């Protein structure tokens, strides 16, 4: 565990001592196979730290890999706040968050309708 912070060491030890039940975290339908629940939890924890420190792109990549829908939704919210609706839509779609993606679909449909009228 060399090179890890005290928090990471304690968290990793806790995870290795306890079995994380399946369904502990919300995931998308198609995360990368081959990762155990424990590995997903550790990766998602690291991605959450990255996201909170402003490293959204690297966090997003991890969330996609693990299929962590809450993390993908937070990335989508980040892109909405930055006025990047297409990037946001992709994250909501991957997270299977229809409530948030449908809102963006409606906005895009209005824009397309407006362009076609002109």
């Amino acid at each position: 565990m060399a090179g890890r912070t005290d928090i990471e060491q304690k968290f990793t030890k806790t995870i290795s001592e306890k079995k994380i039940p399946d369904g502990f975290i919300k995931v998308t339908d198609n995360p990368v196979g081959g990762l155990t629940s424990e590995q997903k939890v550790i990766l998602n924890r690291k991605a959450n730290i990255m996201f909170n420190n402003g490293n959204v792109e690297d966090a997003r990549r991890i969330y996609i890999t693990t299929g962590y829908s809450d993390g993908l939704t937070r990335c989508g919210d980040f892109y909405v706040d930055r006025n990047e609706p297409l990037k946001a839509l992709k994250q909501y779609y991957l997270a299977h968050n229809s409530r948030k993606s449908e809102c963006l679909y409606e906005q895009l449909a209005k824009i397309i309708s407006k362009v076609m009228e002109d």
Side-chain angles (χ1 to χ4, degrees), residues 1-6 8-9:
M1 288 191 200
R4 293 184 178 174
T5 66
D6 289 340
E8 287 176 312
Q9 288 176 4

Side-chain angles (χ1 to χ4, degrees), residues 1-115:
M1 288 191 200
R4 293 184 178 174
T5 66
D6 289 340
I7 293 172
E8 287 176 312
Q9 288 176 4
K10 288 177 187 175
F11 183 76
T12 303
K13 184 177 180 197
T14 301
I15 295 302
S16 64
E17 291 173 354
K18 298 179 182 177
K19 175 77 174 141
I20 303 298
D22 289 336
F24 179 74
I25 57 174
K26 290 171 55 179
V27 298
T28 64
D29 289 342
N30 301 313
V32 171
L35 292 175
T36 66
S37 295
E38 292 85 2
Q39 290 170 323
K40 289 179 185 180
V41 169
I42 291 168
L43 286 169
N44 288 333
R45 176 70 79 147
K46 288 181 181 184
N48 288 338
I49 292 168
M50 289 176 183
F51 184 89
N52 291 334
N53 288 331
N55 189 352
V56 176
E57 289 304 311
D58 287 340
R60 180 186 62 81
R61 286 188 201 101
I62 293 173
Y63 295 144
I64 290 171
T65 300
T66 62
Y68 186 44
S69 62
D70 285 347
L72 290 167
T73 296
R74 284 197 310 269
C75 289
D77 294 343
F78 172 82
Y79 291 127
V80 165
D81 291 343
R82 294 189 57 187
N83 198 27
E84 298 182 66
L86 292 177
K87 284 185 178 181
L89 181 58
K90 180 178 180 182
Q91 304 319 302
Y92 294 148
Y93 177 81
L94 291 171
H96 300 280
N97 189 329
S98 58
R99 182 178 55 86
K100 291 195 175 194
S101 60
E102 285 176 11
C103 180
L104 289 175
Y105 286 137
E106 288 175 17
Q107 290 176 3
L108 289 171
K110 287 178 186 177
I111 292 169
I112 292 170
S113 294
K114 182 90 170 155
V115 167

